[in-house]
């Protein structure tokens, strides 16, 4: 019987440690799972029928009916699929491989997607003059991950953007889902996000924008786990830098490791982004060579 070694880079920087061979369907991402992660995943799989029953209590045969999450079909009758393993692992990693807590998170996510009607939000048409400059997906990093830009100063008309908070949230979720479409869950399952605060000040925020930001943060932290590789905050006003450092001790180390606060100007931003993103993929406004937005 042929076997396949799954390896994990140790935190000490030593050579990869072999993990026990498995008969699991593999791809480039599952090959990086640790033995502990495989054990948690196998236990998690056994709970998927109950997850579906809890998420869709009013649907007949929910325990045995396949669903789609981020373009990946999760069929309780056939869970031995590498892409499914990658998706399920996200919920486990977000909860430190605690199977019970991962189950709770997945149930909550599936319920929210149903209640929010994510599919309808993705099919909705949003006014280009309001939202067109707020979000851009442009290029990929050196490892093939998509790069997503959130340009908070892209529209200074706050009433147009945030006057209807629920419309903003539908647009924001649809934009996130569009970003996820670029993940194949075979070679890449995360993205880089660049948050551009050029033109944003304390006085440019109103109650609606603050509520929208709070709700969006809750949605993404609760229902889009482990989809972020790195997050760069660029053109950050000095007061926001101060706030970041104030709350730095409260952030989990794993989250903090993904975040970088960068100054202003194409040269400064380029120095931070070019190690991850090739110049031909990075917009000129951020120190690259790409003719992008």
């Amino acid at each position: 019987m042929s076997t396949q070694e799954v390896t994990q880079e140790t935190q000490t920087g030593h050579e990869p440690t072999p993990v026990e061979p498995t008969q699991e369907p593999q791809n480039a991402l599952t090959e990086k799972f640790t033995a502990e992660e495989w054990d948690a995943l196998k236990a998690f799989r056994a709970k998927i029928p109950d997850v579906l029953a809890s998420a869709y209590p009013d649907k007949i045969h929910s325990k045995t009916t396949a669903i789609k999450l981020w373009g990946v079909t999760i069929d309780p009758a056939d869970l031995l699929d590498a892409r499914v393993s990658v998706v399920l692992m996200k919920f486990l990693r977000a909860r430190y491989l605690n199977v019970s807590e991962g189950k709770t998170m997945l149930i909550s996510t599936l319920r929210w997607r149903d209640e929010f009607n994510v599919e309808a939000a993705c099919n909705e048409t949003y006014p280009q003059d309001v939202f067109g400059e707020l979000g851009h997906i442009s290029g990929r990093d050196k490892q093939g991950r998509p790069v997503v830009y959130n340009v908070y100063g892209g529209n200074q008309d706050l009433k147009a953007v945030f006057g209807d908070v629920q419309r903003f949230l539908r647009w924001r979720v649809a934009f996130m889902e569009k970003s996820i479409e670029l993940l194949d869950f075979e070679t890449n399952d995360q993205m880089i996000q660049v948050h551009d605060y050029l033109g944003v000040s304390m006085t440019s925020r109103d109650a609606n924008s603050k509520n929208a930001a709070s709700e969006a943060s809750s949605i993404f932290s609760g229902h889009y786990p482990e989809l972020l590789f790195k997050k760069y905050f660029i053109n950050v006003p000095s007061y926001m830098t101060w706030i970041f450092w104030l709350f730095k001790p409260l952030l989990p180390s794993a989250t903090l490791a993904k975040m970088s606060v960068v100054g202003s100007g194409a040269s400064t931003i380029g120095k931070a982004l070019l190690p991850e993103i090739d110049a031909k993929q990075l917009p000129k406004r951020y120190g690259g060579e790409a003719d992008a937005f």
Side-chain angles (χ1 to χ4, degrees), residues 159-175:
K159 289 186 178 180
V161 176
F162 300 108
D164 183 339
V165 171
Q166 291 307 308
R167 182 182 69 167
F168 169 80
L169 291 173
R170 292 195 304 275
W171 169 80
R172 187 63 186 85
V173 166
F175 181 62

PDB file of all heavy atoms in Angstrom, residues 159-175:
ATOM      1  N   LYS A 159     -23.075  59.503   3.688  1.00  0.00           N
ATOM      2  CA  LYS A 159     -24.513  59.227   3.657  1.00  0.00           C
ATOM      3  C   LYS A 159     -24.850  58.266   2.527  1.00  0.00           C
ATOM      4  O   LYS A 159     -25.726  57.411   2.664  1.00  0.00           O
ATOM      5  CB  LYS A 159     -25.297  60.527   3.512  1.00  0.00           C
ATOM      6  CG  LYS A 159     -25.273  61.390   4.768  1.00  0.00           C
ATOM      7  CD  LYS A 159     -26.176  62.609   4.630  1.00  0.00           C
ATOM      8  CE  LYS A 159     -26.181  63.426   5.919  1.00  0.00           C
ATOM      9  NZ  LYS A 159     -27.051  64.630   5.823  1.00  0.00           N
ATOM     10  N   ALA A 160     -24.151  58.412   1.402  1.00  0.00           N
ATOM     11  CA  ALA A 160     -24.395  57.511   0.279  1.00  0.00           C
ATOM     12  C   ALA A 160     -23.927  56.101   0.607  1.00  0.00           C
ATOM     13  O   ALA A 160     -24.609  55.117   0.303  1.00  0.00           O
ATOM     14  CB  ALA A 160     -23.687  58.028  -0.971  1.00  0.00           C
ATOM     15  N   VAL A 161     -22.781  55.992   1.258  1.00  0.00           N
ATOM     16  CA  VAL A 161     -22.197  54.680   1.549  1.00  0.00           C
ATOM     17  C   VAL A 161     -22.883  54.002   2.720  1.00  0.00           C
ATOM     18  O   VAL A 161     -23.249  52.819   2.656  1.00  0.00           O
ATOM     19  CB  VAL A 161     -20.684  54.808   1.835  1.00  0.00           C
ATOM     20  CG1 VAL A 161     -20.110  53.443   2.241  1.00  0.00           C
ATOM     21  CG2 VAL A 161     -19.948  55.359   0.624  1.00  0.00           C
ATOM     22  N   PHE A 162     -23.085  54.743   3.803  1.00  0.00           N
ATOM     23  CA  PHE A 162     -23.559  54.140   5.050  1.00  0.00           C
ATOM     24  C   PHE A 162     -24.980  54.544   5.452  1.00  0.00           C
ATOM     25  O   PHE A 162     -25.444  54.139   6.514  1.00  0.00           O
ATOM     26  CB  PHE A 162     -22.611  54.499   6.197  1.00  0.00           C
ATOM     27  CG  PHE A 162     -21.203  54.023   5.984  1.00  0.00           C
ATOM     28  CD1 PHE A 162     -20.187  54.926   5.699  1.00  0.00           C
ATOM     29  CD2 PHE A 162     -20.897  52.683   6.050  1.00  0.00           C
ATOM     30  CE1 PHE A 162     -18.885  54.498   5.503  1.00  0.00           C
ATOM     31  CE2 PHE A 162     -19.598  52.237   5.855  1.00  0.00           C
ATOM     32  CZ  PHE A 162     -18.582  53.145   5.579  1.00  0.00           C
ATOM     33  N   GLY A 163     -25.632  55.330   4.610  1.00  0.00           N
ATOM     34  CA  GLY A 163     -26.993  55.755   4.946  1.00  0.00           C
ATOM     35  C   GLY A 163     -27.912  54.564   5.155  1.00  0.00           C
ATOM     36  O   GLY A 163     -28.806  54.585   6.004  1.00  0.00           O
ATOM     37  N   ASP A 164     -27.680  53.507   4.384  1.00  0.00           N
ATOM     38  CA  ASP A 164     -28.400  52.248   4.539  1.00  0.00           C
ATOM     39  C   ASP A 164     -27.359  51.218   4.975  1.00  0.00           C
ATOM     40  O   ASP A 164     -26.649  50.639   4.143  1.00  0.00           O
ATOM     41  CB  ASP A 164     -29.055  51.849   3.218  1.00  0.00           C
ATOM     42  CG  ASP A 164     -29.885  50.569   3.325  1.00  0.00           C
ATOM     43  OD1 ASP A 164     -29.649  49.785   4.270  1.00  0.00           O
ATOM     44  OD2 ASP A 164     -30.746  50.345   2.459  1.00  0.00           O
ATOM     45  N   VAL A 165     -27.252  50.996   6.276  1.00  0.00           N
ATOM     46  CA  VAL A 165     -26.211  50.121   6.814  1.00  0.00           C
ATOM     47  C   VAL A 165     -26.347  48.700   6.275  1.00  0.00           C
ATOM     48  O   VAL A 165     -25.353  48.054   5.928  1.00  0.00           O
ATOM     49  CB  VAL A 165     -26.240  50.115   8.359  1.00  0.00           C
ATOM     50  CG1 VAL A 165     -25.308  49.042   8.913  1.00  0.00           C
ATOM     51  CG2 VAL A 165     -25.856  51.480   8.904  1.00  0.00           C
ATOM     52  N   GLN A 166     -27.572  48.203   6.184  1.00  0.00           N
ATOM     53  CA  GLN A 166     -27.763  46.841   5.706  1.00  0.00           C
ATOM     54  C   GLN A 166     -27.356  46.700   4.237  1.00  0.00           C
ATOM     55  O   GLN A 166     -26.820  45.664   3.839  1.00  0.00           O
ATOM     56  CB  GLN A 166     -29.218  46.407   5.911  1.00  0.00           C
ATOM     57  CG  GLN A 166     -29.600  46.216   7.365  1.00  0.00           C
ATOM     58  CD  GLN A 166     -28.645  45.276   8.096  1.00  0.00           C
ATOM     59  OE1 GLN A 166     -28.383  44.169   7.642  1.00  0.00           O
ATOM     60  NE2 GLN A 166     -28.137  45.711   9.236  1.00  0.00           N
ATOM     61  N   ARG A 167     -27.603  47.736   3.435  1.00  0.00           N
ATOM     62  CA  ARG A 167     -27.156  47.673   2.039  1.00  0.00           C
ATOM     63  C   ARG A 167     -25.622  47.622   1.986  1.00  0.00           C
ATOM     64  O   ARG A 167     -25.041  46.860   1.200  1.00  0.00           O
ATOM     65  CB  ARG A 167     -27.664  48.881   1.243  1.00  0.00           C
ATOM     66  CG  ARG A 167     -27.265  48.824  -0.234  1.00  0.00           C
ATOM     67  CD  ARG A 167     -27.717  50.028  -1.034  1.00  0.00           C
ATOM     68  NE  ARG A 167     -26.992  51.237  -0.656  1.00  0.00           N
ATOM     69  CZ  ARG A 167     -27.008  52.374  -1.373  1.00  0.00           C
ATOM     70  NH1 ARG A 167     -27.732  52.424  -2.483  1.00  0.00           N
ATOM     71  NH2 ARG A 167     -26.338  53.430  -0.964  1.00  0.00           N
ATOM     72  N   PHE A 168     -24.964  48.434   2.821  1.00  0.00           N
ATOM     73  CA  PHE A 168     -23.500  48.409   2.862  1.00  0.00           C
ATOM     74  C   PHE A 168     -23.004  47.016   3.235  1.00  0.00           C
ATOM     75  O   PHE A 168     -22.063  46.492   2.626  1.00  0.00           O
ATOM     76  CB  PHE A 168     -22.959  49.425   3.868  1.00  0.00           C
ATOM     77  CG  PHE A 168     -21.482  49.255   4.140  1.00  0.00           C
ATOM     78  CD1 PHE A 168     -20.544  49.762   3.249  1.00  0.00           C
ATOM     79  CD2 PHE A 168     -21.041  48.540   5.250  1.00  0.00           C
ATOM     80  CE1 PHE A 168     -19.179  49.556   3.471  1.00  0.00           C
ATOM     81  CE2 PHE A 168     -19.684  48.343   5.476  1.00  0.00           C
ATOM     82  CZ  PHE A 168     -18.750  48.850   4.585  1.00  0.00           C
ATOM     83  N   LEU A 169     -23.629  46.401   4.244  1.00  0.00           N
ATOM     84  CA  LEU A 169     -23.195  45.079   4.683  1.00  0.00           C
ATOM     85  C   LEU A 169     -23.410  44.034   3.593  1.00  0.00           C
ATOM     86  O   LEU A 169     -22.572  43.135   3.410  1.00  0.00           O
ATOM     87  CB  LEU A 169     -23.933  44.677   5.955  1.00  0.00           C
ATOM     88  CG  LEU A 169     -23.576  45.483   7.215  1.00  0.00           C
ATOM     89  CD1 LEU A 169     -24.498  45.093   8.363  1.00  0.00           C
ATOM     90  CD2 LEU A 169     -22.117  45.272   7.603  1.00  0.00           C
ATOM     91  N   ARG A 170     -24.520  44.145   2.844  1.00  0.00           N
ATOM     92  CA  ARG A 170     -24.746  43.210   1.747  1.00  0.00           C
ATOM     93  C   ARG A 170     -23.663  43.366   0.685  1.00  0.00           C
ATOM     94  O   ARG A 170     -23.151  42.377   0.157  1.00  0.00           O
ATOM     95  CB  ARG A 170     -26.141  43.416   1.134  1.00  0.00           C
ATOM     96  CG  ARG A 170     -27.288  43.037   2.057  1.00  0.00           C
ATOM     97  CD  ARG A 170     -28.601  42.901   1.305  1.00  0.00           C
ATOM     98  NE  ARG A 170     -28.975  44.100   0.548  1.00  0.00           N
ATOM     99  CZ  ARG A 170     -29.615  45.140   1.061  1.00  0.00           C
ATOM    100  NH1 ARG A 170     -29.953  45.149   2.349  1.00  0.00           N
ATOM    101  NH2 ARG A 170     -29.922  46.176   0.312  1.00  0.00           N
ATOM    102  N   TRP A 171     -23.321  44.636   0.378  1.00  0.00           N
ATOM    103  CA  TRP A 171     -22.249  44.873  -0.589  1.00  0.00           C
ATOM    104  C   TRP A 171     -20.928  44.316  -0.072  1.00  0.00           C
ATOM    105  O   TRP A 171     -20.190  43.655  -0.807  1.00  0.00           O
ATOM    106  CB  TRP A 171     -22.081  46.370  -0.852  1.00  0.00           C
ATOM    107  CG  TRP A 171     -20.815  46.642  -1.628  1.00  0.00           C
ATOM    108  CD1 TRP A 171     -20.622  46.506  -2.969  1.00  0.00           C
ATOM    109  CD2 TRP A 171     -19.544  47.020  -1.070  1.00  0.00           C
ATOM    110  NE1 TRP A 171     -19.313  46.782  -3.299  1.00  0.00           N
ATOM    111  CE2 TRP A 171     -18.626  47.104  -2.150  1.00  0.00           C
ATOM    112  CE3 TRP A 171     -19.091  47.300   0.220  1.00  0.00           C
ATOM    113  CZ2 TRP A 171     -17.288  47.444  -1.966  1.00  0.00           C
ATOM    114  CZ3 TRP A 171     -17.768  47.650   0.404  1.00  0.00           C
ATOM    115  CH2 TRP A 171     -16.880  47.722  -0.676  1.00  0.00           C
ATOM    116  N   ARG A 172     -20.648  44.559   1.206  1.00  0.00           N
ATOM    117  CA  ARG A 172     -19.360  44.139   1.774  1.00  0.00           C
ATOM    118  C   ARG A 172     -19.242  42.612   1.786  1.00  0.00           C
ATOM    119  O   ARG A 172     -18.175  42.061   1.496  1.00  0.00           O
ATOM    120  CB  ARG A 172     -19.215  44.695   3.194  1.00  0.00           C
ATOM    121  CG  ARG A 172     -17.855  44.462   3.811  1.00  0.00           C
ATOM    122  CD  ARG A 172     -16.762  45.184   3.040  1.00  0.00           C
ATOM    123  NE  ARG A 172     -15.443  44.837   3.573  1.00  0.00           N
ATOM    124  CZ  ARG A 172     -14.757  43.763   3.203  1.00  0.00           C
ATOM    125  NH1 ARG A 172     -15.263  42.916   2.311  1.00  0.00           N
ATOM    126  NH2 ARG A 172     -13.553  43.525   3.707  1.00  0.00           N
ATOM    127  N   VAL A 173     -20.323  41.914   2.120  1.00  0.00           N
ATOM    128  CA  VAL A 173     -20.316  40.454   2.103  1.00  0.00           C
ATOM    129  C   VAL A 173     -20.157  39.945   0.676  1.00  0.00           C
ATOM    130  O   VAL A 173     -19.397  39.008   0.416  1.00  0.00           O
ATOM    131  CB  VAL A 173     -21.601  39.898   2.752  1.00  0.00           C
ATOM    132  CG1 VAL A 173     -21.781  38.416   2.431  1.00  0.00           C
ATOM    133  CG2 VAL A 173     -21.564  40.105   4.265  1.00  0.00           C
ATOM    134  N   ALA A 174     -20.871  40.571  -0.272  1.00  0.00           N
ATOM    135  CA  ALA A 174     -20.757  40.160  -1.669  1.00  0.00           C
ATOM    136  C   ALA A 174     -19.328  40.351  -2.180  1.00  0.00           C
ATOM    137  O   ALA A 174     -18.808  39.516  -2.932  1.00  0.00           O
ATOM    138  CB  ALA A 174     -21.737  40.960  -2.528  1.00  0.00           C
ATOM    139  N   PHE A 175     -18.683  41.427  -1.744  1.00  0.00           N
ATOM    140  CA  PHE A 175     -17.296  41.684  -2.148  1.00  0.00           C
ATOM    141  C   PHE A 175     -16.362  40.620  -1.569  1.00  0.00           C
ATOM    142  O   PHE A 175     -15.451  40.133  -2.245  1.00  0.00           O
ATOM    143  CB  PHE A 175     -16.880  43.080  -1.692  1.00  0.00           C
ATOM    144  CG  PHE A 175     -15.476  43.460  -2.082  1.00  0.00           C
ATOM    145  CD1 PHE A 175     -15.112  43.545  -3.413  1.00  0.00           C
ATOM    146  CD2 PHE A 175     -14.522  43.735  -1.113  1.00  0.00           C
ATOM    147  CE1 PHE A 175     -13.812  43.890  -3.778  1.00  0.00           C
ATOM    148  CE2 PHE A 175     -13.228  44.083  -1.463  1.00  0.00           C
ATOM    149  CZ  PHE A 175     -12.872  44.160  -2.802  1.00  0.00           C
TER     150      PHE A 175
END
